[in-house]
Amino acid sequence: MDKAAIYHRPASEMAYMTDNDHYQLQLKTKHQDIARVRVIYGPPQTLMTHEGKLVSWEYETSEMHLRLQNGVYDVWSIELPIPKMRKLKYAFHLLDKNGDEVLYDANLSQKYTPKALERVTGFVTAYLGYDENATVPKWVQKMVWYRLMPDRFANNDKKRDPKDILEWGAEADKAKFFGGDLQGIIDNLDYIQSLGINGLYLTPIFDAYSNHKFDTIDYYEIDPEFGTKEKFKELVEALHQRGMKLMLDVTCDHLSDFSLQWQDVRKYGARSSFAKWFLIEQFPVRYVPTESPDYAERLTYEALNNNPHMPKVDLENPEVQEYFGNILTYWTRNFGIDAWSIADSNEIPTSFKLYLSERLKKVAPEIYLLGNTVANKAEQDQVFAGTNAINVRDLIEQTFIERTIAPTELAYALNEHQLRARPTELFASLLAADSPKTERILAKCDDNVQLLRAVIAFMFMQPETPSILYGTEKGLLAGTEAALQPCMDWKETEKSSEMQRFIKKLIAARAKYGDVLTVGSFEWGPCSNQHAYLSFSRNLGEKKIFAIFNLGYGSIKIVLPKNSKLLIGQNLVEQDQRLGQYGFAIIAL
């Protein structure tokens, strides 16, 4: 037994509350070194004596299960009930394949004996207080989101069209509009739901100057080009009648330079009532423009990505916190919003996140808050339920598309990612192949639809919640940033029909085996860098899924187990038992 490889860190991603009644433990050991792990646990004994003897510790034992495996280490996991006294003492009893036994606790890694157990110090938690912010709504675990930009989805309310709109389907222009609106979304809910989607995720819909609306002017008004509050209420009610959820995108770290607050600062300078709302170094506020209207130099104030039209606000300021708290509370209470995606969450201080979470959960206890960031290597958010799994998306793209990461390296990296996060943080985070602010995944695949399907299928097998950008299911290619995203193509072609059938099958598999994919164990199977393939299994109780992906240029031999069921596959020739290039097979065992 390799004692040096045994590792547990208390009060971390390896020991935490999953809800107010349960506590999750994880233990890391060398790969295939340990046969069984039992956790010994109970409330800590008090320092009381009975007839001159110390009262012995009353404990229970439970078997831990393997959560993660790769060629380097194994991760064992278990969820324990929290005692009434809301403190927990625990230690680990490890048994290797040779019959050796070790008792591992906060101080020692020693030979397991009954006498050693009597003296065990154990890991002891602090008082486990009730924490409403730490809970993730149960409904989040079953979601598949469909993200869309209203201006580019469907134009069904012509009377709201802005002047000089572009013809639907024309090449996008940063400063131009296509006239998409809320009515267009309502009229196409049947289509969205037919894919198996159960969550609609909208980019900002509040009054703003741009076509993407990330530069909000008035948070209390629906952009008139999209519709009215009454029309928005109709959309929310239509979604809820279908059993679907709605998530809105909102920016809280900056305001538009057209906002009343910033206009007041420009007019009155340091005397403005809103001067302390912004991060201003010097008055009057000014900047030096460049060839790009969205980038400036020598700004006397902080702006998002040096965009002079998006001055950053001080979210440590109580007035600013209350301002945004009132806005999100208004829409949540009066319109029944199910979830908020907080844009640029990596720019937001923890104090504001806590304030926002506490306020919204008083209005809607089941509200879901997503930390939406485009920052590379985004870490798990410590307050919001989840974040964008950008690091996972990048790893997959570098393995499948760019081929700069070998399959075995991907397996190790994904295990490290999962080890550093709580299971609830994983399924509460979004894994999106496409987003409004990135190049379309099909373009990255050089218009190779088979490669696209392999990437998306692999993503759907991960613990994170899948998110599909409008048009991905139809093979939309153009679009490198929010303002340049293409219009939805409503024409049916052989390519789009085939992609839709694929997406429907994939979502159906995710719905049926969602519990396995979100909280089940993750065990890597055969992986080869030489032949460029990888495989893994996902297990939970009696349910088991096996998946294999061929990333190489040639075919590989594959033997499907007897009595297995093929859920979805590509380039699989069963009679020849071969899996071709870009081929994959996802099987229920």
Side-chain angles (χ1 to χ4, degrees):
M1 183 183 299
D2 188 351
K3 293 183 180 179
I6 302 171
Y7 181 67
H8 172 77
R9 187 158 62 103
S12 69
E13 70 282 352
M14 303 184 84
Y16 58 91
M17 290 172 59
T18 54
D19 56 40
N20 286 323
D21 299 312
H22 298 91
Y23 200 76
Q24 186 87 17
L25 296 178
Q26 296 191 94
L27 178 74
K28 187 176 179 181
T29 64
K30 182 179 177 180
H31 181 53
Q32 294 186 345
D33 186 40
I34 304 299
R36 297 174 65 185
V37 179
R38 297 188 181 104
V39 63
I40 305 161
Y41 66 97
Q45 76 268 44
T46 55
L47 297 177
M48 297 177 61
T49 60
H50 179 66
E51 296 180 352
K53 296 182 180 180
L54 186 68
V55 175
S56 61
W57 179 36
E58 295 183 1
Y59 60 84
E60 299 180 56
T61 61
S62 290
E63 203 84 14
M64 300 187 77
H65 70 272
L66 272 172
R67 178 189 165 208
L68 302 172
Q69 294 186 72
N70 61 16
V72 181
Y73 59 77
D74 296 338
V75 177
W76 304 78
S77 181
I78 193 171
E79 187 178 68
L80 301 176
I82 295 175
K84 289 183 179 180
M85 68 180 299
R86 305 205 63 80
K87 293 182 70 175
L88 187 67
K89 175 181 174 179
Y90 59 92
F92 302 97
H93 177 196
L94 297 90
L95 301 89
D96 70 8
K97 296 179 180 179
N98 298 321
D100 293 333
E101 301 181 51
V102 162
L103 182 63
Y104 173 69
D105 73 359
N107 295 328
L108 293 171
S109 178
Q110 57 185 310
K111 182 178 178 61
Y112 177 86
T113 65
K115 192 170 183 179
L117 183 56
E118 286 181 8
R119 300 193 305 264
V120 69
T121 302
F123 296 91
V124 180
T125 70
Y127 179 81
L128 301 172
Y130 292 93
D131 184 3
E132 295 300 327
N133 288 316
T135 58
V136 177
K138 296 293 184 184
W139 59 265
V140 174
Q141 190 174 346
K142 301 177 181 179
M143 299 305 296
V144 176
W145 294 97
Y146 188 79
R147 193 176 189 189
L148 64 84
M149 292 179 59
D151 181 63
R152 308 299 161 86
F153 188 65
N155 182 358
N156 288 29
D157 189 355
K158 302 295 184 180
K159 66 179 181 294
R160 295 197 170 274
D161 288 354
K163 294 180 179 179
D164 302 323
I165 66 167
L166 296 173
E167 182 181 353
W168 194 263
E171 184 177 351
D173 184 291
K174 281 190 175 184
K176 298 291 185 177
F177 299 80
F178 285 96
D181 45 55
L182 296 179
Q183 187 63 56
I185 300 173
I186 294 170
D187 293 344
N188 286 287
L189 287 181
D190 283 344
Y191 164 76
I192 295 171
Q193 193 172 31
S194 72
L195 297 172
I197 298 293
N198 57 4
L200 188 61
Y201 177 9
L202 300 183
T203 56
I205 60 172
F206 307 123
D207 191 15
Y209 177 76
S210 67
N211 50 39
H212 55 72
K213 310 302 178 188
F214 281 98
D215 53 347
T216 304
I217 298 172
D218 189 346
Y219 287 89
Y220 284 100
E221 293 296 336
I222 300 293
D223 193 288
E225 293 169 2
F226 292 161
T228 62
K229 288 182 179 179
E230 291 74 22
K231 185 59 66 176
F232 178 61
K233 185 73 171 179
E234 182 183 338
L235 170 62
V236 178
E237 290 175 350
L239 285 167
H240 289 168
Q241 288 171 4
R242 296 166 180 264
M244 299 172 70
K245 303 289 186 180
L246 176 66
M247 177 157 60
L248 292 185
D249 215 332
V250 65
T251 59
C252 296
D253 66 315
H254 65 275
L255 292 179
S256 166
D257 59 348
F258 282 91
S259 65
L260 294 176
Q261 294 89 342
W262 186 249
Q263 290 298 316
D264 196 79
V265 168
R266 290 188 61 183
K267 183 175 182 179
Y268 297 106
R271 295 182 292 109
S272 169
S273 302
F274 303 103
K276 293 184 179 180
W277 277 41
F278 299 91
L279 300 171
I280 300 171
E281 298 176 3
Q282 183 181 349
F283 293 96
V285 292
R286 59 184 184 275
Y287 60 88
V288 176
T290 66
E291 292 181 358
S292 171
D294 297 331
Y295 182 85
E297 296 178 347
R298 288 186 279 173
L299 294 88
T300 62
Y301 56 94
E302 289 191 30
L304 184 67
N305 300 324
N306 272 46
N307 186 331
H309 310 299
M310 297 184 181
K312 290 178 67 65
V313 294
D314 181 8
L315 288 173
E316 300 278 11
N317 184 326
E319 291 183 6
V320 178
Q321 290 187 354
E322 185 178 14
Y323 172 73
F324 282 107
N326 289 341
I327 290 167
L328 271 65
T329 298
Y330 168 80
W331 290 101
T332 302
R333 176 186 288 122
N334 296 308
F335 293 84
I337 308 304
D338 302 291
W340 290 96
S341 171
I342 313 299
D344 303 306
S345 60
N346 57 310
E347 305 279 343
I348 295 175
T350 299
S351 63
F352 174 70
K353 294 178 185 180
L354 287 169
Y355 169 83
L356 199 59
S357 178
E358 290 171 0
R359 280 209 58 179
L360 289 176
K361 288 189 175 183
K362 288 179 181 177
V363 176
E366 289 292 293
I367 195 79
Y368 165 55
L369 298 178
L370 173 72
N372 181 7
T373 174
V374 295
N376 290 330
K377 297 182 180 179
E379 297 295 332
Q380 292 294 333
D381 199 290
Q382 298 303 306
V383 180
F384 295 156
T387 186
N388 279 339
I390 293 173
N391 50 345
V392 177
R393 183 197 69 197
D394 290 347
L395 287 168
I396 295 171
E397 288 182 358
Q398 290 169 42
T399 304
F400 280 70
I401 303 172
E402 300 170 19
R403 297 178 181 268
T404 56
I405 292 180
T408 57
E409 293 174 355
L410 175 66
Y412 182 83
L414 290 181
N415 268 35
E416 283 292 296
H417 164 73
Q418 292 185 36
L419 177 61
R420 288 194 293 266
R422 306 173 182 184
T424 52
E425 291 174 335
L426 290 173
F427 73 67
S429 294
L430 257 63
L431 181 52
D434 281 320
S435 82
K437 295 185 178 181
T438 60
E439 182 183 10
R440 287 267 174 170
I441 184 68
L442 186 55
K444 294 179 182 179
C445 293
D446 198 23
D447 203 16
N448 187 323
V449 178
Q450 290 192 349
L451 176 56
L452 169 71
R453 287 197 289 261
V455 170
I456 295 177
F458 188 87
M459 288 184 174
F460 263 70
M461 294 299 106
Q462 304 309 304
E464 288 82 5
T465 297
S467 176
I468 297 172
L469 183 63
Y470 76 98
T472 298
E473 79 284 4
K474 282 179 167 285
L476 282 190
L477 183 63
T480 56
E481 57 183 270
L484 295 176
Q485 287 299 313
C487 292
M488 182 68 165
D489 187 355
W490 291 105
K491 297 176 183 177
E492 285 297 339
T493 65
E494 183 179 347
K495 175 183 177 181
S496 67
S497 297
E498 187 179 356
M499 271 298 295
Q500 288 172 67
R501 286 194 296 270
F502 165 74
I503 291 294
K504 289 178 181 180
K505 281 187 176 182
L506 201 54
I507 293 176
R510 178 82 185 192
K512 186 173 182 178
Y513 295 93
D515 53 349
V516 181
L517 297 173
T518 53
V519 297
S521 65
F522 202 123
E523 179 179 354
W524 290 97
C527 298
S528 171
N529 293 341
Q530 181 180 357
H531 300 289
Y533 70 84
L534 51 79
S535 66
F536 57 87
S537 60
R538 306 296 315 278
N539 309 302
L540 184 66
E542 298 298 318
K543 291 184 179 181
K544 184 173 183 178
I545 291 178
F546 174 78
I548 183 167
F549 289 79
N550 179 18
L551 313 183
Y553 297 105
S555 64
I556 60 173
K557 187 174 179 60
I558 175 176
V559 179
L560 300 182
K562 291 183 179 180
N563 301 321
S564 63
K565 178 183 179 183
L566 180 66
L567 299 178
I568 188 169
Q570 177 174 265
N571 295 344
L572 173 65
V573 184
E574 293 188 54
Q575 60 268 29
D576 295 334
Q577 297 184 327
R578 308 291 299 183
L579 193 63
Q581 184 182 16
Y582 307 126
F584 61 86
I586 299 171
I587 306 159
L589 302 176

